[in-house]
Amino acid sequence: MDRPSEEQTAETVRQLRALTTPEGAAALARAAALLAEGVDAVAALTRLRAEVGTDLAGPAWGIARQRQNARATFGADADRMLFTGDTLEQAGRPELAARRAARLLAGGADSVADLGCAAGTDTIALARAGARVLAVDVDPVARELTAANAEALGVADDVWVVAGDAVELVAAARGGEVAGCGAAVLDPARRAGGRRLLDPDRWSPPWSTVAELLAKVPTSVVKVAPGLDHDRVPDGVEAEWVSVGGSIVEALLWGGAVSATWRRATVVRDGEFHELTADADPGPAPAGPVRAWLHEPDPAVIRSGLVSLVAADLGATLVDPTIAYLTSDGPAVGSPWVSSYRVDEVLPFNLKKLKALLRGHGVGRVVVKKRGSAIEPETLARQLRGPGSGAATVVVTRVDGAPTALVCDVT
Ligand SMILES: C[S@@+](CC[C@H](N)C(=O)[O-])C[C@H]1O[C@@H](n2cnc3c(N)ncnc32)[C@H](O)[C@@H]1O
């Protein structure tokens, strides 16, 4: 998507403002009711135009749709907040924003600059955690959303929304403060035109501002892409990868005053937080032959470079020096760091032989996992499907350099 023109931006701001009036609130309530009734867009817009006027109908319908999308993440707050599609996509999870805010403020900072506030997820979490927040954004729509959302959620007295360029503010930072605040949150935009920007120098603000903020404002936290190269992490800065339900949802760099370790993997499972840390690079885990159990480390453990800590804990070795699968004699009972599979068969990867072996075990349904192999899991699972009533997990990987299939958890 191209950048909106100044006229489009001004029109969006005008529409958002109209929705914060009593008439706007009534239009939003009506749009939400039509959406809940399952009325399709064309019919809903026709009815809304007749009932609330042409000016409010479209914007109210748009926001009602965004609120519906936001509910899974924002719960009851979603129905009081305003989002555009872009800002909802960029918004972090509020429970993680709250955790970040609490950690950032634990050292006593009471004012925080949120540098790039978008719809205000971080601003609101910081204000709820007790800080006074200077919410900064270059985008007038983001500022409008943050102001409206702070008001709607009852924290407006602690939030100041201002226009500003984070690049300039960080360049002017002095004495451990930025924009007069003793702490900062920076969450650079890492997408443009609907695409991920893989090069941190192209983020907005760019990597140079990230590095400068971490160097100048020790009470700071920066959200970065989970794929960030470890070599970019400055000395004295803790890097943390957070996963929820087995997928990485954010990566953070903590300024010197709030860094507590070298790397941290935070794994959230069933709403519980588990943290694994290392004060220095623990190096790679040793490799060894496949044993009775295979363990797949959580991606936060892998990305944070802490697989060898888990290996030591489980008495496990890598199946291959270049592959993050572990193997040991026993299951990893209760470990939040890995998912474990009982290994029933190990064979060099060969489709025909694998099929025959599964038939022999009466296996008809297969889940395929892979690491270090070019196979396409869904395609292979289809090819391996058979008449048997049993099930199995087939792991395709390299073992000591050789393409190998591990048939696991045969039932
Ligand atoms: C990824 S979003 C922030 C999301 C927010 N932390 C949340 O969780 O909802 C990045 C924001 O930074 C803003 N931005 C980009 N470059 C900026 C700059 N140089 N100065 C200030 N804001 C900037 C964008 O307009 C966008 O609203």
Side-chain angles (χ1 to χ4, degrees):
M1 208 170 50
D2 291 333
R3 252 182 150 182
S5 66
E6 264 180 46
E7 289 74 30
Q8 285 168 323
T9 299
E11 176 56 14
T12 306
V13 168
R14 191 194 67 73
Q15 291 175 350
L16 290 170
R17 215 162 273 176
L19 289 175
T20 60
T21 62
E23 295 76 29
L28 278 169
R30 190 67 195 114
L34 291 169
L35 201 56
E37 284 169 30
V39 178
D40 71 63
V42 175
L45 279 166
T46 308
R47 280 164 70 175
L48 278 172
R49 277 189 208 106
E51 293 176 28
V52 305
T54 45
D55 215 28
L56 287 170
W61 181 250
I63 294 291
R65 297 276 304 267
Q66 297 304 341
R67 285 180 170 176
Q68 190 180 44
N69 295 336
R71 229 167 271 147
T73 307
F74 287 85
D77 283 351
D79 288 309
R80 291 190 278 164
M81 297 177 75
L82 302 180
F83 294 100
T84 57
D86 269 1
T87 54
L88 181 56
E89 195 175 288
Q90 297 188 80
R93 293 168 181 247
E95 69 277 17
L96 297 184
R99 176 178 171 275
R100 270 198 311 278
R103 180 167 169 197
L104 190 70
L105 300 175
D110 63 357
S111 62
V112 185
D114 181 4
L115 302 171
C117 55
T121 315
D122 282 304
T123 292
I124 287 158
L126 290 159
R128 282 177 166 168
R132 287 174 295 123
V133 189
L134 187 73
V136 180
D137 210 293
V138 280
D139 177 5
V141 173
R143 297 195 297 272
E144 195 65 31
L145 292 169
T146 296
N149 290 336
E151 181 70 40
L153 297 179
V155 294
D157 285 351
D158 291 313
V159 172
W160 287 263
V161 182
V162 296
D165 184 338
V167 176
E168 290 168 12
L169 292 171
V170 172
R174 295 280 178 278
E177 297 193 347
V178 58
C181 299
V185 172
L186 173 59
D187 181 6
R190 298 180 295 279
R191 301 182 83 92
R195 291 219 178 147
R196 252 181 246 281
L197 296 170
L198 297 177
D199 178 359
D201 296 328
R202 298 185 57 213
W203 296 348
S204 182
W207 177 258
S208 53
T209 298
V210 172
E212 194 177 359
L213 178 74
L214 290 166
K216 286 176 153 182
V217 183
T219 306
S220 57
V221 59
V222 183
K223 257 211 240 177
V224 294
L228 186 81
D229 198 334
H230 280 249
D231 290 347
R232 289 243 186 202
V233 182
D235 287 344
V237 164
E238 172 188 329
E240 175 183 15
W241 279 263
V242 182
S243 73
V244 177
S247 301
I248 296 202
V249 291
E250 61 185 39
L252 306 169
L253 300 181
W254 293 92
V258 274
S259 279
T261 188
W262 175 73
R263 298 287 185 266
R264 182 185 307 261
T266 299
V267 171
V268 187
R269 274 198 183 181
D270 303 323
E272 235 183 279
F273 285 74
H274 305 271
E275 299 186 10
L276 183 70
T277 60
D279 290 340
D281 187 350
V290 176
R291 290 185 268 162
W293 289 80
L294 185 79
H295 311 287
E296 182 180 18
D298 184 277
V301 172
I302 298 174
R303 278 299 307 147
S304 57
L306 302 182
V307 170
S308 60
L309 294 190
V310 175
D313 190 37
L314 299 177
T317 44
L318 294 170
V319 297
D320 183 284
T322 62
I323 303 281
Y325 278 136
L326 292 168
T327 182
S328 73
D329 296 327
V333 182
S335 170
W337 315 123
V338 295
S339 303
S340 295
Y341 305 87
R342 190 191 65 241
V343 180
D344 294 311
E345 303 276 359
V346 181
L347 66 160
F349 181 72
N350 174 300
L351 184 58
K352 239 170 145 184
K353 288 190 178 153
L354 187 54
K355 260 182 165 170
L357 185 138
L358 292 168
R359 293 274 145 93
H361 280 288
V363 170
R365 280 170 299 122
V366 168
V367 172
V368 174
K369 293 184 151 287
K370 68 144 190 179
R371 193 158 280 168
S373 162
I375 62 118
E376 216 280 294
E378 277 79 41
T379 310
L380 183 61
R382 258 197 315 278
Q383 289 170 325
L384 294 177
R385 211 180 284 153
S389 59
T393 300
V394 171
V395 180
V396 183
T397 187
R398 278 198 307 273
V399 170
D400 198 15
T404 304
L406 284 69
V407 180
C408 304
D409 292 346
V410 175
T411 56

